[in-house]
Amino acid sequence: MSNCIFCKIVNGEIAAQKVFEDKDMVVFHDINPAAEVHVLVVPKKHIESLSTLTDKDNDLIAKLTQNLTKVATMLGLETGFKTLINTGEGGGQLVPHLHYHILGGKLTKLQALKNT
Ligand code: 5GP
Ligand code: ZN
């Protein structure tokens, strides 16, 4: 989508501190981290949220989910991590392009994770 921030990061129009990328997904550091480690796992395909998933997305979502531990381990979170997905306005979703948050280490901004 042309006016979507995460699509712009996916296609390189906006810079981001990427830590992993393949043909289906990109992982980059959150610009406003809420924990010592806070990255966003983003499908390259523009999907607005969990609410707009279709059966066609099943393989993609499975892949993203299965890669969370690999990404977290790569970032030093061998002992575990938190995962967060905000959905829709009522769920506190600010960027309408589906993404998983991976949070690890000390949480520094718990407030940022609460629905406002
Ligand atoms: P949401 O509330 O939609 O689940 O979370 C969106 C996240 O994207 C927020 O944690 C916010 O800090 C992050 N974010 C918003 N704009 C940018 C950006 O341009 N670059 C990066 N790296 N993160 C962003
Ligand atoms: Zn998008």
Side-chain angles (χ1 to χ4, degrees):
M1 257 181 69
S2 57
N3 63 348
C4 168
I5 298 174
F6 287 178
C7 282
K8 286 183 178 176
I9 289 175
V10 165
N11 69 29
E13 265 182 80
I14 292 180
Q17 210 184 329
K18 291 180 186 173
V19 295
F20 178 80
E21 180 167 11
D22 70 11
K23 69 177 176 52
D24 296 315
M25 59 190 269
V26 59
V27 183
F28 52 87
H29 285 280
D30 195 294
I31 206 168
N32 186 22
E36 273 177 275
V37 176
H38 185 177
V39 296
L40 304 173
V41 178
V42 178
K44 288 190 169 177
K45 177 184 175 187
H46 182 88
I47 300 168
E48 192 170 316
S49 76
L50 285 183
S51 300
T52 64
L53 283 175
T54 70
D55 287 351
K56 282 184 191 160
D57 300 317
N58 286 352
D59 288 350
L60 179 60
I61 295 309
K63 177 179 172 180
L64 257 65
T65 307
Q66 285 167 355
N67 273 280
L68 295 175
T69 298
K70 188 173 82 182
V71 169
T73 301
M74 205 172 75
L75 295 169
L77 304 176
E78 294 89 354
T79 60
F81 56 94
K82 295 185 193 304
T83 311
L84 175 76
I85 303 177
N86 294 322
T87 303
E89 197 185 334
Q93 185 177 6
L94 300 174
V95 177
H97 179 132
L98 179 67
H99 51 283
Y100 290 80
H101 295 251
I102 292 180
L103 299 135
K106 200 174 159 200
L107 293 173
T108 52
K109 285 184 199 160
L110 260 181
Q111 191 63 32
L113 303 178
K114 290 184 182 162
N115 190 5
T116 48

